Amino acid sequence: MNPRIDEWRGRRVWMIGASTGIGEAAAHLLLDLGARVAFSARSADRLEQTVAGEPHALALPLDVLDHASVDAARQRIVAAWGGIDLVLIVAGGYNDMRADAIDLAAANRMIDLNLRGAFNCLDVALPLLIKQGAGGIGIVASVAGYGGLPKALAYGPTKAALINLSESLYLDLRPRGIAVYQINPGFVDTPLTAGNDFKMPALMSAADAAYAMVQGIERGAFHIHFPKRFTNSMRLARLLPYRLYFWLIHKVTGL
């Protein structure tokens, strides 16, 4: 559904959410493959340490909730490299939440970070990509966006919204020559999942997740999901009657 990428050498990639987890691992993988990579996240010190000695990397601190900082980062990339070939929006947050303990402030923070933050990035990146008439944009959502899950009362709806958003983007942007990637990881061993107190089937490392994501982009996939033995099970579960779906989710998570 998107053009294949057979060569990363020289490609200009902006990784938003590159200080930890999948974003950091994927940014380093792309550097190893020859891409030029702009690392963006809130932690300026960590980014500087991460790119130290990397001639093809930029450290561009930003807060996805601060539109001006996102725009400033884009301007620095364009000034340095003349354009952007791929924008990957990986930044996001997670708080577990259940119906008997709704935390409205935490829910609003999740909506801001996971959804409004993505729109801040899109508002900055899309005019450039559309003007170029080329490039791509990927949004990391989650398997939690496929359907309701325990402890995901606020997190899950934001990721479902990102899945819907990426589908709408594809319809609008592919006729303009711009690739769109919907990226749905399962459970990945990152700081976001470190505090989970329930079973995480098919838990994978950030490095393996990054490799799966980059592979999906290379082959031109729109829907990139991993690990497939878990994500395909979740997709098939949505075809079941609700009674069976809810039973299966309880069985898998132990919650």
Side-chain angles (χ1 to χ4, degrees), residues 162-216:
L162 292 179
I163 289 173
N164 185 290
L165 172 60
S166 64
E167 291 169 354
S168 297
L169 286 171
Y170 184 88
L171 292 170
D172 284 349
L173 295 177
R174 279 300 296 132
R176 294 173 176 262
I178 299 165
V180 178
Y181 309 95
Q182 178 193 114
I183 303 160
N184 292 319
F187 291 109
V188 180
D189 187 10
T190 71
L192 287 183
T193 60
N196 286 348
D197 59 356
F198 53 86
K199 291 186 290 185
M200 292 184 282
L203 181 69
M204 64 193 309
S205 69
D208 287 342
Y211 182 73
M213 181 171 77
V214 170
Q215 269 199 324

Side-chain angles (χ1 to χ4, degrees), residues 64-89:
V64 294
L65 299 182
D66 179 358
H67 185 277
S69 73
V70 181
D71 190 45
R74 178 195 59 83
Q75 292 180 45
R76 287 184 59 191
I77 298 172
V78 173
W81 295 339
I84 303 173
D85 297 307
L86 176 63
V87 180
L88 291 171
I89 304 172

